[in-house]
């Protein structure tokens, strides 16, 4: 009985921490857009798929997002393509 109670209390505590972490993330609002030079880690003036994929993306498939930004489909994101890209608006609540 004590073990079952302990497991239940641990689960409730974990759920509470998870809900609080999610609430804190939501209250921060939209994430700030990264700076091109921070994503272009090798400094060659272009963002490769490998550089892009190493970023903490808010969601979605990295390949699909990369391809939507790489409008000329040359396999890299230029600074112009990066600045022209408008991320989708977050869903309304």
């Amino acid at each position: 009985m004590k073990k079952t109670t302990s497991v239940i209390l641990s689960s409730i505590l974990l759920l509470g921490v998870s809900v609080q972490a999610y609430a804190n993330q939501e209250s921060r609002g939209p994430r700030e857009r990264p700076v091109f030079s921070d994503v272009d880690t090798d400094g060659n003036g272009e963002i490769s798929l490998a550089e892009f994929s190493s970023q903490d993306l808010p969601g979605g498939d990295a390949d699909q997002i990369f391809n939507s930004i790489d409008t000329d489909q040359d396999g890299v994101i230029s600074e112009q393509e990066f600045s022209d890209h408008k991320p989708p608006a977050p869903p309304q609540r």
Side-chain angles (χ1 to χ4, degrees), residues 20-41:
Q20 185 61 42
Y22 179 77
N24 287 342
Q25 179 182 4
E26 290 294 308
S27 67
R28 284 183 254 152
R31 293 176 8 162
E32 217 173 285
R33 184 181 181 131
V35 177
F36 180 85
S37 60
D38 290 344
V39 182
D40 178 22
T41 55

PDB file of all heavy atoms in Angstrom, residues 20-41:
ATOM      1  N   GLN A  20       3.647  23.161 -14.706  1.00  0.00           N
ATOM      2  CA  GLN A  20       4.251  24.451 -14.376  1.00  0.00           C
ATOM      3  C   GLN A  20       5.306  24.844 -15.409  1.00  0.00           C
ATOM      4  O   GLN A  20       5.372  25.991 -15.824  1.00  0.00           O
ATOM      5  CB  GLN A  20       4.878  24.416 -12.973  1.00  0.00           C
ATOM      6  CG  GLN A  20       5.428  25.758 -12.524  1.00  0.00           C
ATOM      7  CD  GLN A  20       4.364  26.829 -12.436  1.00  0.00           C
ATOM      8  OE1 GLN A  20       3.270  26.600 -11.963  1.00  0.00           O
ATOM      9  NE2 GLN A  20       4.671  28.010 -12.913  1.00  0.00           N
ATOM     10  N   ALA A  21       6.125  23.895 -15.838  1.00  0.00           N
ATOM     11  CA  ALA A  21       7.143  24.186 -16.853  1.00  0.00           C
ATOM     12  C   ALA A  21       6.487  24.631 -18.157  1.00  0.00           C
ATOM     13  O   ALA A  21       6.931  25.585 -18.798  1.00  0.00           O
ATOM     14  CB  ALA A  21       8.026  22.963 -17.087  1.00  0.00           C
ATOM     15  N   TYR A  22       5.412  23.957 -18.547  1.00  0.00           N
ATOM     16  CA  TYR A  22       4.683  24.331 -19.758  1.00  0.00           C
ATOM     17  C   TYR A  22       4.081  25.724 -19.616  1.00  0.00           C
ATOM     18  O   TYR A  22       4.178  26.559 -20.511  1.00  0.00           O
ATOM     19  CB  TYR A  22       3.596  23.306 -20.060  1.00  0.00           C
ATOM     20  CG  TYR A  22       2.786  23.640 -21.290  1.00  0.00           C
ATOM     21  CD1 TYR A  22       3.302  23.406 -22.553  1.00  0.00           C
ATOM     22  CD2 TYR A  22       1.516  24.207 -21.186  1.00  0.00           C
ATOM     23  CE1 TYR A  22       2.578  23.711 -23.693  1.00  0.00           C
ATOM     24  CE2 TYR A  22       0.778  24.511 -22.315  1.00  0.00           C
ATOM     25  CZ  TYR A  22       1.317  24.259 -23.556  1.00  0.00           C
ATOM     26  OH  TYR A  22       0.596  24.580 -24.676  1.00  0.00           O
ATOM     27  N   ALA A  23       3.498  26.008 -18.477  1.00  0.00           N
ATOM     28  CA  ALA A  23       2.893  27.330 -18.233  1.00  0.00           C
ATOM     29  C   ALA A  23       3.957  28.417 -18.282  1.00  0.00           C
ATOM     30  O   ALA A  23       3.729  29.487 -18.849  1.00  0.00           O
ATOM     31  CB  ALA A  23       2.167  27.342 -16.894  1.00  0.00           C
ATOM     32  N   ASN A  24       5.108  28.152 -17.708  1.00  0.00           N
ATOM     33  CA  ASN A  24       6.188  29.143 -17.744  1.00  0.00           C
ATOM     34  C   ASN A  24       6.647  29.402 -19.163  1.00  0.00           C
ATOM     35  O   ASN A  24       6.923  30.530 -19.544  1.00  0.00           O
ATOM     36  CB  ASN A  24       7.371  28.676 -16.890  1.00  0.00           C
ATOM     37  CG  ASN A  24       7.096  28.776 -15.411  1.00  0.00           C
ATOM     38  OD1 ASN A  24       6.184  29.470 -14.984  1.00  0.00           O
ATOM     39  ND2 ASN A  24       7.882  28.061 -14.621  1.00  0.00           N
ATOM     40  N   GLN A  25       6.729  28.361 -19.980  1.00  0.00           N
ATOM     41  CA  GLN A  25       7.137  28.513 -21.364  1.00  0.00           C
ATOM     42  C   GLN A  25       6.109  29.350 -22.122  1.00  0.00           C
ATOM     43  O   GLN A  25       6.460  30.239 -22.874  1.00  0.00           O
ATOM     44  CB  GLN A  25       7.283  27.147 -22.018  1.00  0.00           C
ATOM     45  CG  GLN A  25       7.690  27.220 -23.468  1.00  0.00           C
ATOM     46  CD  GLN A  25       7.773  25.850 -24.106  1.00  0.00           C
ATOM     47  OE1 GLN A  25       7.457  24.851 -23.492  1.00  0.00           O
ATOM     48  NE2 GLN A  25       8.192  25.810 -25.338  1.00  0.00           N
ATOM     49  N   GLU A  26       4.844  29.072 -21.916  1.00  0.00           N
ATOM     50  CA  GLU A  26       3.782  29.797 -22.601  1.00  0.00           C
ATOM     51  C   GLU A  26       3.747  31.263 -22.198  1.00  0.00           C
ATOM     52  O   GLU A  26       3.468  32.131 -23.006  1.00  0.00           O
ATOM     53  CB  GLU A  26       2.426  29.154 -22.313  1.00  0.00           C
ATOM     54  CG  GLU A  26       2.245  27.802 -22.956  1.00  0.00           C
ATOM     55  CD  GLU A  26       2.207  27.888 -24.465  1.00  0.00           C
ATOM     56  OE1 GLU A  26       1.415  28.681 -24.996  1.00  0.00           O
ATOM     57  OE2 GLU A  26       2.974  27.164 -25.111  1.00  0.00           O
ATOM     58  N   SER A  27       4.041  31.561 -20.942  1.00  0.00           N
ATOM     59  CA  SER A  27       3.941  32.939 -20.465  1.00  0.00           C
ATOM     60  C   SER A  27       5.060  33.814 -21.002  1.00  0.00           C
ATOM     61  O   SER A  27       4.966  35.031 -20.955  1.00  0.00           O
ATOM     62  CB  SER A  27       3.924  32.970 -18.933  1.00  0.00           C
ATOM     63  OG  SER A  27       5.170  32.545 -18.421  1.00  0.00           O
ATOM     64  N   ARG A  28       6.123  33.203 -21.507  1.00  0.00           N
ATOM     65  CA  ARG A  28       7.223  33.988 -22.056  1.00  0.00           C
ATOM     66  C   ARG A  28       6.886  34.581 -23.416  1.00  0.00           C
ATOM     67  O   ARG A  28       7.588  35.444 -23.901  1.00  0.00           O
ATOM     68  CB  ARG A  28       8.481  33.123 -22.184  1.00  0.00           C
ATOM     69  CG  ARG A  28       9.143  32.898 -20.853  1.00  0.00           C
ATOM     70  CD  ARG A  28      10.404  32.124 -21.037  1.00  0.00           C
ATOM     71  NE  ARG A  28      10.113  30.774 -20.552  1.00  0.00           N
ATOM     72  CZ  ARG A  28      10.691  29.684 -20.971  1.00  0.00           C
ATOM     73  NH1 ARG A  28      11.600  29.724 -21.896  1.00  0.00           N
ATOM     74  NH2 ARG A  28      10.369  28.516 -20.470  1.00  0.00           N
ATOM     75  N   GLY A  29       5.855  34.085 -24.038  1.00  0.00           N
ATOM     76  CA  GLY A  29       5.456  34.597 -25.337  1.00  0.00           C
ATOM     77  C   GLY A  29       6.304  34.005 -26.443  1.00  0.00           C
ATOM     78  O   GLY A  29       7.051  33.057 -26.231  1.00  0.00           O
ATOM     79  N   PRO A  30       6.218  34.596 -27.631  1.00  0.00           N
ATOM     80  CA  PRO A  30       6.955  34.055 -28.760  1.00  0.00           C
ATOM     81  C   PRO A  30       8.463  34.158 -28.532  1.00  0.00           C
ATOM     82  O   PRO A  30       8.946  35.100 -27.911  1.00  0.00           O
ATOM     83  CB  PRO A  30       6.523  34.919 -29.939  1.00  0.00           C
ATOM     84  CG  PRO A  30       5.620  35.945 -29.425  1.00  0.00           C
ATOM     85  CD  PRO A  30       5.432  35.747 -27.965  1.00  0.00           C
ATOM     86  N   ARG A  31       9.161  33.163 -29.060  1.00  0.00           N
ATOM     87  CA  ARG A  31      10.614  33.180 -28.930  1.00  0.00           C
ATOM     88  C   ARG A  31      11.204  34.231 -29.842  1.00  0.00           C
ATOM     89  O   ARG A  31      10.656  34.541 -30.893  1.00  0.00           O
ATOM     90  CB  ARG A  31      11.179  31.808 -29.297  1.00  0.00           C
ATOM     91  CG  ARG A  31      10.762  30.773 -28.308  1.00  0.00           C
ATOM     92  CD  ARG A  31      11.186  29.389 -28.611  1.00  0.00           C
ATOM     93  NE  ARG A  31      12.100  29.211 -29.723  1.00  0.00           N
ATOM     94  CZ  ARG A  31      12.817  28.131 -29.913  1.00  0.00           C
ATOM     95  NH1 ARG A  31      12.720  27.144 -29.079  1.00  0.00           N
ATOM     96  NH2 ARG A  31      13.604  28.014 -30.942  1.00  0.00           N
ATOM     97  N   GLU A  32      12.337  34.768 -29.428  1.00  0.00           N
ATOM     98  CA  GLU A  32      13.021  35.767 -30.228  1.00  0.00           C
ATOM     99  C   GLU A  32      13.634  35.101 -31.456  1.00  0.00           C
ATOM    100  O   GLU A  32      14.159  33.998 -31.383  1.00  0.00           O
ATOM    101  CB  GLU A  32      14.131  36.406 -29.383  1.00  0.00           C
ATOM    102  CG  GLU A  32      14.281  37.875 -29.648  1.00  0.00           C
ATOM    103  CD  GLU A  32      15.264  38.498 -28.691  1.00  0.00           C
ATOM    104  OE1 GLU A  32      14.901  38.698 -27.526  1.00  0.00           O
ATOM    105  OE2 GLU A  32      16.396  38.765 -29.128  1.00  0.00           O
ATOM    106  N   ARG A  33      13.576  35.785 -32.561  1.00  0.00           N
ATOM    107  CA  ARG A  33      14.133  35.264 -33.802  1.00  0.00           C
ATOM    108  C   ARG A  33      15.661  35.230 -33.700  1.00  0.00           C
ATOM    109  O   ARG A  33      16.276  36.198 -33.251  1.00  0.00           O
ATOM    110  CB  ARG A  33      13.697  36.156 -34.953  1.00  0.00           C
ATOM    111  CG  ARG A  33      14.131  35.657 -36.291  1.00  0.00           C
ATOM    112  CD  ARG A  33      13.689  36.610 -37.376  1.00  0.00           C
ATOM    113  NE  ARG A  33      14.109  36.094 -38.653  1.00  0.00           N
ATOM    114  CZ  ARG A  33      13.323  35.983 -39.693  1.00  0.00           C
ATOM    115  NH1 ARG A  33      12.075  36.384 -39.626  1.00  0.00           N
ATOM    116  NH2 ARG A  33      13.779  35.498 -40.824  1.00  0.00           N
ATOM    117  N   PRO A  34      16.300  34.142 -34.135  1.00  0.00           N
ATOM    118  CA  PRO A  34      17.759  34.079 -34.068  1.00  0.00           C
ATOM    119  C   PRO A  34      18.410  35.045 -35.053  1.00  0.00           C
ATOM    120  O   PRO A  34      17.802  35.455 -36.043  1.00  0.00           O
ATOM    121  CB  PRO A  34      18.079  32.635 -34.442  1.00  0.00           C
ATOM    122  CG  PRO A  34      16.889  32.147 -35.179  1.00  0.00           C
ATOM    123  CD  PRO A  34      15.710  32.927 -34.674  1.00  0.00           C
ATOM    124  N   VAL A  35      19.632  35.389 -34.776  1.00  0.00           N
ATOM    125  CA  VAL A  35      20.417  36.258 -35.649  1.00  0.00           C
ATOM    126  C   VAL A  35      21.111  35.378 -36.688  1.00  0.00           C
ATOM    127  O   VAL A  35      21.620  34.304 -36.357  1.00  0.00           O
ATOM    128  CB  VAL A  35      21.459  37.044 -34.815  1.00  0.00           C
ATOM    129  CG1 VAL A  35      22.348  37.903 -35.694  1.00  0.00           C
ATOM    130  CG2 VAL A  35      20.762  37.874 -33.749  1.00  0.00           C
ATOM    131  N   PHE A  36      21.147  35.835 -37.939  1.00  0.00           N
ATOM    132  CA  PHE A  36      21.724  35.040 -39.030  1.00  0.00           C
ATOM    133  C   PHE A  36      23.127  34.551 -38.685  1.00  0.00           C
ATOM    134  O   PHE A  36      23.442  33.376 -38.854  1.00  0.00           O
ATOM    135  CB  PHE A  36      21.761  35.867 -40.326  1.00  0.00           C
ATOM    136  CG  PHE A  36      22.330  35.119 -41.500  1.00  0.00           C
ATOM    137  CD1 PHE A  36      21.526  34.302 -42.269  1.00  0.00           C
ATOM    138  CD2 PHE A  36      23.675  35.225 -41.835  1.00  0.00           C
ATOM    139  CE1 PHE A  36      22.037  33.598 -43.348  1.00  0.00           C
ATOM    140  CE2 PHE A  36      24.200  34.524 -42.915  1.00  0.00           C
ATOM    141  CZ  PHE A  36      23.381  33.710 -43.673  1.00  0.00           C
ATOM    142  N   SER A  37      23.969  35.434 -38.197  1.00  0.00           N
ATOM    143  CA  SER A  37      25.362  35.061 -37.916  1.00  0.00           C
ATOM    144  C   SER A  37      25.480  34.018 -36.807  1.00  0.00           C
ATOM    145  O   SER A  37      26.465  33.277 -36.759  1.00  0.00           O
ATOM    146  CB  SER A  37      26.197  36.299 -37.575  1.00  0.00           C
ATOM    147  OG  SER A  37      25.667  36.950 -36.440  1.00  0.00           O
ATOM    148  N   ASP A  38      24.486  33.939 -35.925  1.00  0.00           N
ATOM    149  CA  ASP A  38      24.497  32.912 -34.883  1.00  0.00           C
ATOM    150  C   ASP A  38      24.167  31.537 -35.456  1.00  0.00           C
ATOM    151  O   ASP A  38      24.648  30.522 -34.960  1.00  0.00           O
ATOM    152  CB  ASP A  38      23.501  33.249 -33.771  1.00  0.00           C
ATOM    153  CG  ASP A  38      23.929  34.445 -32.940  1.00  0.00           C
ATOM    154  OD1 ASP A  38      25.115  34.842 -33.007  1.00  0.00           O
ATOM    155  OD2 ASP A  38      23.065  34.990 -32.224  1.00  0.00           O
ATOM    156  N   VAL A  39      23.347  31.491 -36.498  1.00  0.00           N
ATOM    157  CA  VAL A  39      22.987  30.221 -37.121  1.00  0.00           C
ATOM    158  C   VAL A  39      24.068  29.798 -38.125  1.00  0.00           C
ATOM    159  O   VAL A  39      24.379  28.619 -38.257  1.00  0.00           O
ATOM    160  CB  VAL A  39      21.608  30.315 -37.816  1.00  0.00           C
ATOM    161  CG1 VAL A  39      21.210  28.984 -38.428  1.00  0.00           C
ATOM    162  CG2 VAL A  39      20.539  30.787 -36.833  1.00  0.00           C
ATOM    163  N   ASP A  40      24.677  30.778 -38.788  1.00  0.00           N
ATOM    164  CA  ASP A  40      25.770  30.513 -39.739  1.00  0.00           C
ATOM    165  C   ASP A  40      27.055  30.278 -38.941  1.00  0.00           C
ATOM    166  O   ASP A  40      27.946  31.116 -38.888  1.00  0.00           O
ATOM    167  CB  ASP A  40      25.923  31.703 -40.687  1.00  0.00           C
ATOM    168  CG  ASP A  40      27.075  31.542 -41.671  1.00  0.00           C
ATOM    169  OD1 ASP A  40      27.493  30.403 -41.930  1.00  0.00           O
ATOM    170  OD2 ASP A  40      27.566  32.580 -42.167  1.00  0.00           O
ATOM    171  N   THR A  41      27.142  29.108 -38.338  1.00  0.00           N
ATOM    172  CA  THR A  41      28.219  28.836 -37.374  1.00  0.00           C
ATOM    173  C   THR A  41      29.606  28.784 -37.998  1.00  0.00           C
ATOM    174  O   THR A  41      30.590  29.048 -37.312  1.00  0.00           O
ATOM    175  CB  THR A  41      27.948  27.524 -36.611  1.00  0.00           C
ATOM    176  OG1 THR A  41      27.766  26.460 -37.551  1.00  0.00           O
ATOM    177  CG2 THR A  41      26.702  27.671 -35.736  1.00  0.00           C
TER     178      THR A  41
END
